[in-house]
């Protein structure tokens, strides 16, 4: 199974919005509403930010939102804050009953 | 609040078997609502899903690792384990254990991770 495709880096200024894309295939992202997004600060474990494409776990800011169109899912962060600077990973369930992650995107808050 | 903690040797010799255990606290590993996974991350690289197991014993593995991986559950100890055979330097990584919620198909929470280095 091939890794999902994410941009290596994105950046934005405080208060702005950014979107991170995650492209897969009809066997993973496009075939299921089972895309999740994780935030990982350096040296820390990943933290679940979005699951089921659009759902936010309790405690996650509503500045984080998810969507999907075809084989591409997206994570949007609005009202960028300094603490949002981190690595972000998408993940999808697959038709083989396995999971696949994206390569990760480094978000820089300018 | 459920917490997960990985444990095991930090150094494994090439061709030997990597063995890690994840201890679950604050909840029962026997709950039918969850599955239990291992995920790894080489230094400076992305996440790689290794496999998952239900408490029933049913498991699924990453096709690229399937021939070398076994995940098992010990409900009496509230633990699940990872064995990876015939390791090479390419298996050097931080290994995370994580809980998955059936129906949500996501991983939450995660353990803090443990670094395993494969070297002679």
């Amino acid at each position: 199974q091939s890794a999902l495709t994410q941009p290596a880096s994105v950046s934005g200024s405080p208060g702005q919005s950014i979107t991170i894309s995650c492209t897969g295939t009809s066997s993973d992202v496009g075939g299921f509403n089972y895309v999740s997004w994780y935030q990982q600060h350096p040296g820390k474990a990943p933290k679940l930010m979005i699951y089921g494409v659009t759902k936010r776990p309790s405690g996650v800011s509503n500045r984080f939102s998810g969507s999907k169109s075809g084989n591409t899912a997206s994570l949007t962060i609005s009202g960028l804050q300094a603490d949002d600077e981190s690595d972000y990973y998408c993940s999808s369930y697959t038709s083989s009953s396995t999971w696949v992650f994206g390569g990760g995107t480094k978000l820089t808050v300018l | 609040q459920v917490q997960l903690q990985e444990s095991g040797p930090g150094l494994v010799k090439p061709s030997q078997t990597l063995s890690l255990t994840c201890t679950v606290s604050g909840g029962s590993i026997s709950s039918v609502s969850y599955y239990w996974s291992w995920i790894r991350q080489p230094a400076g690289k992305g996440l790689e899903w290794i496999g998952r197991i239900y408490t029933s014993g049913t498991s699924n593995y990453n096709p690229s690792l399937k021939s070398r991986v076994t995940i098992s559950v010990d409900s009496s100890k509230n633990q699940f384990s990872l064995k990876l055979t015939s390791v090479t330097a390419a298996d050097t990584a931080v290994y995370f254990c994580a809980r998955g919620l059936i129906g949500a198909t996501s991983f939450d929470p995660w353990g803090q991770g443990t670094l395993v280095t494969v070297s002679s």
Side-chain angles (χ1 to χ4, degrees):
Chain A
Q1 56 192 26
S2 299
L4 306 175
T5 301
Q6 298 180 232
S9 63
V10 298
S11 62
S13 299
Q16 289 185 331
S17 295
I18 63 95
T19 297
I20 300 172
S21 62
C22 170
T23 301
T25 70
S26 59
S27 295
D28 38 63
V29 174
F32 307 90
N33 287 324
Y34 291 147
V35 175
S36 49
W37 289 90
Y38 302 87
Q39 177 191 64
Q40 186 181 33
H41 288 298
K44 301 295 186 182
K47 173 188 176 184
L48 178 66
M49 304 303 284
I50 295 288
Y51 68 96
V53 179
T54 61
K55 301 178 178 67
R56 270 191 317 276
S58 174
V60 172
S61 171
N62 59 9
R63 297 185 299 105
F64 291 82
S65 62
S67 62
K68 191 184 82 167
S69 177
N71 295 337
T72 298
S74 298
L75 172 70
T76 297
I77 308 173
S78 59
L80 268 180
Q81 299 178 358
D83 189 51
D84 296 334
E85 186 163 292
S86 187
D87 293 327
Y88 291 86
Y89 293 90
C90 62
S91 176
S92 176
Y93 182 71
T94 81
S95 59
S96 301
S97 299
T98 61
W99 274 260
V100 62
F101 283 92
T105 298
K106 181 176 181 58
L107 168 62
T108 300
V109 180
L110 302 171
Chain B
Q1 181 175 342
V2 171
Q3 293 184 316
L4 287 73
Q5 178 70 58
E6 305 88 350
S7 60
L11 180 64
V12 181
K13 288 181 167 51
S15 81
Q16 293 192 341
T17 296
L18 178 160
S19 296
L20 295 174
T21 295
C22 182
T23 300
V24 179
S25 59
S28 173
I29 201 171
S30 299
S31 171
V32 297
S33 299
Y34 302 107
Y35 51 86
W36 307 92
S37 289
W38 287 97
I39 296 155
R40 70 181 183 179
Q41 184 174 37
K45 296 188 178 181
L47 300 167
E48 180 180 33
W49 180 77
I50 299 171
R52 66 124 176 224
I53 191 166
Y54 292 93
T55 50
S56 65
T58 300
S59 58
N60 303 92
Y61 301 121
N62 187 321
S64 67
L65 300 170
K66 187 174 183 178
S67 64
R68 299 193 293 129
V69 174
T70 302
I71 298 176
S72 58
V73 170
D74 187 338
S75 298
S76 67
K77 295 182 179 180
N78 231 33
Q79 296 176 333
F80 64 106
S81 299
L82 168 70
K83 289 190 186 299
L84 181 65
T85 62
S86 305
V87 297
T88 70
D91 295 308
T92 294
V94 174
Y95 285 75
F96 296 98
C97 59
R99 184 184 72 174
L101 175 61
I102 295 171
T105 58
S106 55
F107 306 104
D108 178 58
W110 297 54
Q112 65 184 28
T114 187
L115 174 62
V116 179
T117 302
V118 179
S119 174
S120 55

